[in-house]
Every structure is written in C-alpha cells, then in structure tokens.
Amino acid sequence: MKRILSGIKPSGELNIGGYGGALHQFVKMQHDFECFFFVPDLHAITVPQDPKELFQRSKDIAAFYIAAGIDPKKATIFIQSHVPAHVELGWIMETQVHFGELSRMTQFKEKSDGKDSVSSALFTYPALMAADILLYQATHVPVGEDQKQHLEMTRDLAARFNSRFEKTFVIPEPIIPTIGSRIMGLDDPTKKMSKSNPNKNSYVLLLDSPADIRKKLARAVTDSEMSVRYDWDNKPAVSNLIEIYAVFSGESTETIERRYEGQGYGGFKKDLAEVVVEKLVPIQERYRDIIDSDVLIRILKEGAMRASETAQITLVQAKRAMGFVTF
Ligand code: AQP
C-alpha cells in the first residue's frame, strides 16, 4: 500500500507558495495514496511564535486542508503535538543523526544566518522531521524543492537504523511536483515565497481579499522585456507568475505562454489575478464555515486517535529493536 505523510507548518499565514507546493498536491494525492496530513506545530516552535497566533494558525492550517478539498474520511488529519510518539521517536532520531550532517543543512544555515540566538531545536529539526515520516511508514513524501535535503536525511537515518538494529522503517521516496514545487516571492524571484517574510507584498495569502489579491499580483515584479515566456534562467519573475497561473488554472505552462504570445504583462497579470481569485474564494468560504465549528474539533480528535494507533506500533517496534524494555 502506498502511504503519504506531509504537512504545512503553522509558522505564519498560509500563502499561495504553500498552496502550490503542498496543499493542492495533497488534494490530488488523496485519491492514489493512504494519506496522513498533519499540522507540524512542534516544528513551528523551533523559532519564536506568539502563543495566540500559533493557536489560531494551527487551527487555520487544519481548516484549510478540509476547505481545499481533503476528505477527512479518506485522509487522517491531525495536529502533531496531539500524538506524543513524534517527540519520542524524534529524540531517538537525534541519537542517530550526526552533528556534521545537521550542520550541512542549508535551511538551518539560512534560518540562523545573522541571528543572535537560535534554538537548538532549529538545529535538530530534521531529526524530528525524520520521526514524523518514519512513524507512519510513509512510502512517499510530497515535498517542495527546499525540503529535498531534509528528506534525503530521513532516508539516510532510516537506512542507518535498519542496518544498525533491525529492519524497522520503510525508506520513503520524495514526490516533487513538476509545477508548483518552488514558488518564489512576488518581490524577488530569487527567494522562495515564505510565510515568515516580513514584506507582505512578497506573497498572496489564502485569506487575502480579491481586491488585495489583484493589487499584489499587479505589483509583482517582472522585467523590462514585455514578453510572457517561461524561461527560469533568463526570466525568473515572469516564469514564477506563469507557474502560479499553471497551479491555479490547471493548464500547462506551454498553453499559457501561447495564449499571451506577443502581448505585454498587463492583461496577463489581470487574468492571473482572476484565476487565483476564482480558486481561492470558494476555499475561503468553506474555511469560514468550519474554522470555529465543532466539526473541525471532531475531525482533529479522530485524526489524532487514528494517527496515534499507527505511530505507536512503529514506535514500539523501534524501541524494541534498540533494546528498550517494552511490554
Ligand atoms: N514557496 C513555495 N513554493 C513551493 N512549495 C513551498 N512550500 C512552502 N513554501 C513553498 C512547501 O510546502 C510544504 C510545507 O511547508 P512548510 O510551511 O511546512 O515549511 P516551509 O517550507 O518552511 O514554509 P515557509 O512558508 O518558508 O515557512 P517559514 O517561513 O515559516 O519557514 C513543504 O513541502 C514546502 O516545501
């Protein structure tokens, strides 16, 4: 059976980068895989979070999973901190990973760069991520380009554990979407669109009003050439907008290029905004229906129970393999 585990960190408001690289891929994948979609709140606190915001955003991410079309009857939706096995296997994984390996992680280097104080949890984050995936014996993990290195480490740790102790973990394969795996900032196409970017014009939020979506996309940087061409090497800003268009319309980048051949950026950007608005408005409506409902609480409680059952089996297997006393 093919199984997926993936999640979106509640470290900021969800934007169209997370939608392209994760959420809309999740919705498609639920038909072909047994899915576990979680809210990695324990990962979010590797950098300081305001408690009220963490609370709201954790619920928001779960609500967006459902609003975007993940069926909670098919997929298990849960909050990471509701399943304590993540922390326990995370600690075990910390004992298997080497300091040098963690030091080479580019995301740690980027996130710690120029900061006076950085938590040790930010450094060991990939060990917890490995635990998240391995607990569910995921065969596949959908990841954006930026998470490829962490997944590679998960694979290494699983193989190391299996050969050092006994075969316990499935070694997961990455699934990197061809379109949407790297959506860049609207202000700077060399930087990934990120929740924690202080520049609000660098992203479109899933909860932005249609007026704000139109304004932000109209302001998105382009270049002086005035041709809508998908060419990341020479036209990264325009290619990024074409990619967003492709994610939201479901059309290929070639179809989009052909449609706007010989035209400037004005009409293209206007149409792009409409494609995004058309997709996001119904998601926003469904989000508003469930965010404060008992339905969401029920789904998360059931999800935690289902997730715990699977996670506990793997955790006990791993502990037994290492020589822990288990009954
Ligand atoms: N801009 C993006 N383009 C494509 N994929 C993206 N993902 C995130 N941003 C983009 C993918 O979404 C999944 C969940 O990511 P995450 O929110 O858990 O972590 P992140 O990648 O660290 O997201 P941010 O927005 O950059 O958050 P902060 O700023 O808090 O670190 C992942 O598979 C990710 O690749």
Side-chain angles (χ1 to χ4, degrees), residues 6-23 26 40 47 49 61 107 111 125 142-148 180-185 191-197:
S6 198
I8 301 175
K9 251 185 342 203
S11 50
E13 289 182 81
L14 194 51
N15 62 45
I16 59 171
Y19 180 83
L23 191 51
F26 296 175
V47 298
Q49 300 292 338
I61 301 278
Q107 199 178 78
K111 294 208 161 169
Y125 176 122
V143 284
E145 277 289 336
D146 55 316
Q147 291 289 345
K148 242 165 89 179
S181 69
R182 201 162 160 72
I183 291 182
M184 311 309 276
K191 290 206 185 103
K192 187 182 88 142
M193 185 180 284
S194 247
K195 291 188 225 80
S196 48
N197 190 326

Side-chain angles (χ1 to χ4, degrees), residues 52-115:
K52 279 203 190 88
E53 286 180 357
L54 179 68
F55 179 85
Q56 186 58 42
R57 285 166 181 169
S58 299
K59 279 174 58 191
D60 278 355
I61 301 278
F64 272 123
Y65 287 164
I66 301 155
I70 295 172
D71 178 355
K73 287 197 203 80
K74 273 195 183 151
T76 302
I77 297 174
F78 65 102
I79 293 183
Q80 185 185 27
S81 61
H82 294 180
V83 182
H86 287 254
V87 179
E88 210 174 332
L89 190 65
W91 176 254
I92 289 174
M93 286 299 134
E94 278 192 47
T95 67
Q96 301 304 305
V97 69
H98 305 149
F99 187 88
E101 289 172 312
L102 290 172
S103 310
R104 286 194 287 278
M105 293 294 113
T106 48
Q107 199 178 78
F108 174 74
K109 287 187 201 157
E110 280 165 21
K111 294 208 161 169
S112 57
D113 189 32
K115 301 245 165 68

